[in-house]
Amino acid sequence: RGNLFFLLHEDSDSGLAGSLGGLNVQPSEPLVLPGSGLVPNKSLVRVSGEPGMSLRYRTDGLAPQASDPLWPAAGIKVSTTDLPSMKLSVAAFDTQGRSSPPAYREYRLRSTSFFVMIEGNLSLKSQGSALETRAMIESGSNGASDTPISSLWFRLRVQKAGRVGLSWADADDDPQAYTARVKVSVVESDLYTEVPCPDGTIASERRGGFSAPLEMVLQPGDYYVNVVDIDGLSGRSFGLSAFSY
């Protein structure tokens, strides 16, 4: 923002200095923390921008205007009044009315328990490996209950930082091989922070993973894959595979 100073020279002994003014460079996009995803109730959201900027925000997901409220210095909190989700957008405005690209965040209150029953571990395979066929099971297999378990958790342990892919298929992808209809989410080891994808979206409630694998850039550690049966039926099958690039 402002003027650009430059130095033009042909050799080390001579040169020409000058400046370019009126570049009309727009302000930079504000930094908004935390990123999109599941957050605990009353989580504090903080925003920072370039010096001298007016930070304006909205909670309906639309691009902020110069007439929208100023971002409070103390930040704001995500609460139950924002259900089902808070679609936050923040933009910076300079004294000439120019605005930055809006920063968009979407928060949902955490509903996942900190304790889950792990169905099994997912081992990282080579890219293009065949999917493993798995089934939605029934709780109380000893006969105590026939209530279908429509949500399964798998642990994914990453030993080395890098790109990780997740492929899955269900009856919508391949009705000849699978009978379940599922959606898939990936969270970090705290079980409520959703893993971001390189394009800035979150790996939550994805469908149709067979033809378009979910790609993530992960650091070493434990991650958890949640598979939910859309129809809530037990005994239905789906395919699942994790691989490294």
Side-chain angles (χ1 to χ4, degrees), residues 178-243:
Y178 306 106
T179 54
R181 297 177 61 242
V182 301
K183 56 185 178 181
V184 176
S185 302
V186 184
V187 297
E188 297 184 7
S189 57
D190 56 19
L191 296 180
Y192 65 82
T193 300
E194 294 168 307
V195 172
C197 299
D199 62 2
T201 60
I202 53 178
S204 176
E205 299 185 348
R206 296 294 185 94
R207 304 184 188 186
F210 182 66
S211 58
L214 176 62
E215 180 182 336
M216 302 164 287
V217 178
L218 303 181
Q219 300 298 317
D222 286 348
Y223 298 85
Y224 293 88
V225 179
N226 182 222
V227 181
V228 178
D229 188 289
I230 297 172
D231 300 320
L233 300 173
S234 62
R236 302 297 181 96
S237 62
F238 63 94
L240 186 65
S241 178
F243 55 91

Side-chain angles (χ1 to χ4, degrees), residues 48-142:
S48 62
E50 296 177 88
M53 296 291 109
S54 296
L55 301 175
R56 307 279 177 169
Y57 75 101
R58 299 178 67 106
T59 58
D60 56 7
L62 299 178
Q65 304 297 318
S67 57
D68 286 320
L70 281 170
W71 182 264
I76 62 174
K77 294 182 178 180
V78 183
S79 69
T80 53
T81 59
D82 302 309
L83 289 175
S85 65
M86 185 178 78
K87 297 180 180 180
L88 178 68
S89 56
V90 185
F93 292 81
D94 65 14
T95 56
Q96 300 180 47
R98 294 174 298 203
S99 64
S100 71
Y104 293 100
R105 300 288 185 271
E106 182 170 358
Y107 302 109
R108 292 185 292 133
L109 293 186
R110 185 188 70 210
S111 58
T112 306
S113 169
F114 280 98
F115 177 79
V116 297
M117 295 294 294
I118 303 300
E119 173 66 15
N121 294 311
L122 287 179
S123 57
L124 283 175
K125 300 182 178 181
S126 59
Q127 187 176 4
S129 298
L131 302 181
E132 298 178 6
T133 299
R134 298 180 180 267
M136 308 305 295
I137 60 176
E138 293 184 354
S139 62
S141 57
N142 59 1

